[in-house]
Every structure is written in structure tokens, then in C-alpha cells.
């Protein structure tokens, strides 16, 4: 089992291998970043966007959370981590593309599908329940059609991408840039079981890359 001491050991390996290999790039990046893509992905330990897309440091600006969800635009004085990262990437870094990456075997999706944390207090699943209730409307339709089994889970995993992209468009600075042709919103789905990446088309359908 990996613990913090294993992570420190990994750091030492990094310093003597990858860091040296990309030393010129690290020196360049120390003066600032200029990623061309923002990736919104799940916190799941099995789904690392940098690994899936085989990127080098500085290529992608990544935000990870439960079930790769983007909340709708809200100006309520709360602390909005995903919204802040999105704002920074789009208005300050001016990334031309935002990708929402869903994945198979998503625990957040299962929490939504089964309602296992519904009504729970914070610290007992309440934060998770409130977060994934962004899928509530989609879940209702999927459960009505597919029940709560494996196919329903898969369909809801795909729906996390569609819901997030729809919510992205509620942000004025996103909608304005997309309308001006300065920003593209893209969806993708990584199947953990077989390692295949699926890409979403304009109609919201997914096909292997």
C-alpha cells in the first residue's frame, strides 16, 4: 500500500529521471504557463488526464472533482472552486478548448444512481450527495428507462459529460467566447475496463477515438 514515504521515494525518482529529462521545459515553465486545453476530470485515482492523454508538464490545465461535474453559474457569494478554476483558465489563460472527461466505474455516479448518501449529514456522505444532485434530473430519466444496473450506470456516466457541458454554457464568459469562436467545448469518456477513449460529437453521442 502506498503511503507518504512512498510518495517521497517517487519524488526522488522523479528528480533523477523525468525532471532531468524535461529540465529545459521546467525552466521555461518557471516563468509562466500557457496551456491550450483545460481538462475537467474526476478525482478518481484511476483516471489521470495527464497519463491518459500522454502530456508533458504545462500542456493541460486540470481540475478534478467528484464525477467530473461542472456546477451551473451561481453568483451567491459562496466559494466555488470549479467556477474559479474555469474563470482563470478561460479569462486569464485564455485556453481555446475545454474538455470534460467522464469515465467508467465512477463512484460519484453510483452515489447518484443509488442515492446511498441521500439525506446524510456532512461527514457521512452529505457533501457527496449535495454535489451529485446535479445529476438528479438525468438520473430520473435513466432509472425510468434502464433501472439501476450496469447499463444505467454507464448511461449516467456519459450524462455527467453532457450535464457539465450544458452547465459550462451558463457561464457568461464561456458563452461569449464560444459564440465568438474563441472557445470550443468538448466531451470525452475513458472506459477503465478496456482503456478506450470515446469522444463526444456535436449531437452528444460518443464513439471511440
Amino acid at each position: 500500500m502506498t503511503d507518504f514515504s512512498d510518495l517521497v521515494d517517487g519524488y526522488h525518482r522523479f528528480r533523477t529521471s523525468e525532471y532531468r529529462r524535461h529540465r529545459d521545459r521546467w525552466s521555461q515553465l518557471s516563468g509562466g504557463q500557457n496551456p491550450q486545453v483545460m481538462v475537467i476530470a474526476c478525482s478518481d485515482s484511476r483516471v489521470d488526464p495527464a497519463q491518459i492523454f500522454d502530456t508533458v508538464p504545462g500542456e493541460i490545465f486540470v481540475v478534478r472533482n467528484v464525477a467530473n461535474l461542472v456546477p451551473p453559474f451561481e453568483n451567491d457569494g459562496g466559494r466555488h472552486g470549479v467556477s474559479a478554476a474555469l474563470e482563470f483558465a478561460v479569462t486569464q489563460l485564455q485556453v481555446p478548448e475545454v474538455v470534460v472527461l467522464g469515465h467508467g466505474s465512477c463512484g460519484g455516479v453510483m452515489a447518484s444512481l443509488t442515492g446511498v448518501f441521500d439525506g446524510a449529514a456532512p461527514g457521512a456522505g452529505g457533501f457527496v450527495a449535495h454535489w451529485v444532485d446535479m445529476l438528479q434530473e438525468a438520473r430520473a430519466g435513466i432509472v425510468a428507462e434502464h433501472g439501476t444496473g450496469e447499463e444505467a450506470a454507464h448511461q449516467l456516466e456519459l450524462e455527467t459529460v453532457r450535464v457539465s457541458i450544458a452547465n459550462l454554457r451558463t457561464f457568461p464568459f464561456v458563452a461569449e467566447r464560444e459564440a465568438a469562436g474563441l472557445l470550443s467545448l468538448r466531451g470525452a469518456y475513458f472506459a477503465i475496463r478496456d482503456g478506450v477513449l470515446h469522444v463526444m460529437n456535436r449531437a452528444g453521442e460518443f464513439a471511440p477515438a
Side-chain angles (χ1 to χ4, degrees), residues 38-52 60-70 81-82 85 99 101 103 131 192:
M38 177 185 190
V39 179
I40 300 168
C42 186
S43 299
D44 194 302
S45 61
R46 301 165 292 177
V47 193
D48 180 359
Q51 185 175 35
I52 292 168
I60 57 176
F61 184 84
V62 180
V63 173
R64 300 177 70 174
N65 63 57
V66 173
N68 46 269
L69 289 170
V70 176
V82 175
V99 178
L101 176 64
H103 74 95
W131 181 253
I192 290 177

Side-chain angles (χ1 to χ4, degrees), residues 18-35:
E18 290 300 308
Y19 185 76
R20 289 183 180 179
R21 187 174 299 121
H22 297 291
R23 186 68 184 89
D24 291 342
R25 184 165 183 84
W26 284 110
S27 295
Q28 181 184 22
L29 290 171
S30 67
Q33 61 174 322
N34 186 34

Side-chain angles (χ1 to χ4, degrees), residues 82-95:
V82 175
S83 303
L86 175 67
E87 180 182 61
F88 184 76
V90 172
T91 70
Q92 304 304 306
L93 297 176
Q94 298 184 16
V95 297

Side-chain angles (χ1 to χ4, degrees), residues 24 105 112:
D24 291 342
S105 305
S112 171

Side-chain angles (χ1 to χ4, degrees), residues 59-199:
E59 284 192 316
I60 57 176
F61 184 84
V62 180
V63 173
R64 300 177 70 174
N65 63 57
V66 173
N68 46 269
L69 289 170
V70 176
F73 175 79
E74 294 176 315
N75 189 20
D76 58 4
R79 292 183 171 88
H80 303 288
V82 175
S83 303
L86 175 67
E87 180 182 61
F88 184 76
V90 172
T91 70
Q92 304 304 306
L93 297 176
Q94 298 184 16
V95 297
E97 293 185 294
V98 176
V99 178
V100 179
L101 176 64
H103 74 95
S105 305
C106 181
V109 165
M110 287 305 297
S112 171
L113 190 63
T114 63
V116 64
F117 296 130
D118 289 357
F127 286 123
V128 173
H130 183 52
W131 181 253
V132 299
D133 69 12
M134 283 185 269
L135 298 172
Q136 188 170 4
E137 183 176 345
R139 175 183 69 177
I142 287 171
V143 169
E145 183 174 355
H146 300 286
T148 57
E150 186 174 333
E151 180 59 23
H154 176 64
Q155 291 301 321
L156 193 55
E157 287 162 356
L158 298 178
E159 200 64 25
T160 65
V161 180
R162 301 185 186 106
V163 167
S164 290
I165 288 178
N167 286 345
L168 280 169
R169 293 190 169 112
T170 67
F171 288 80
F173 54 84
V174 170
E176 289 167 5
R177 283 166 174 74
E178 186 181 29
L182 300 175
L183 181 66
S184 296
L185 306 181
R186 304 189 185 279
Y189 174 86
F190 180 74
I192 290 177
R193 181 174 299 174
D194 57 17
V196 175
L197 180 74
H198 297 71
V199 176

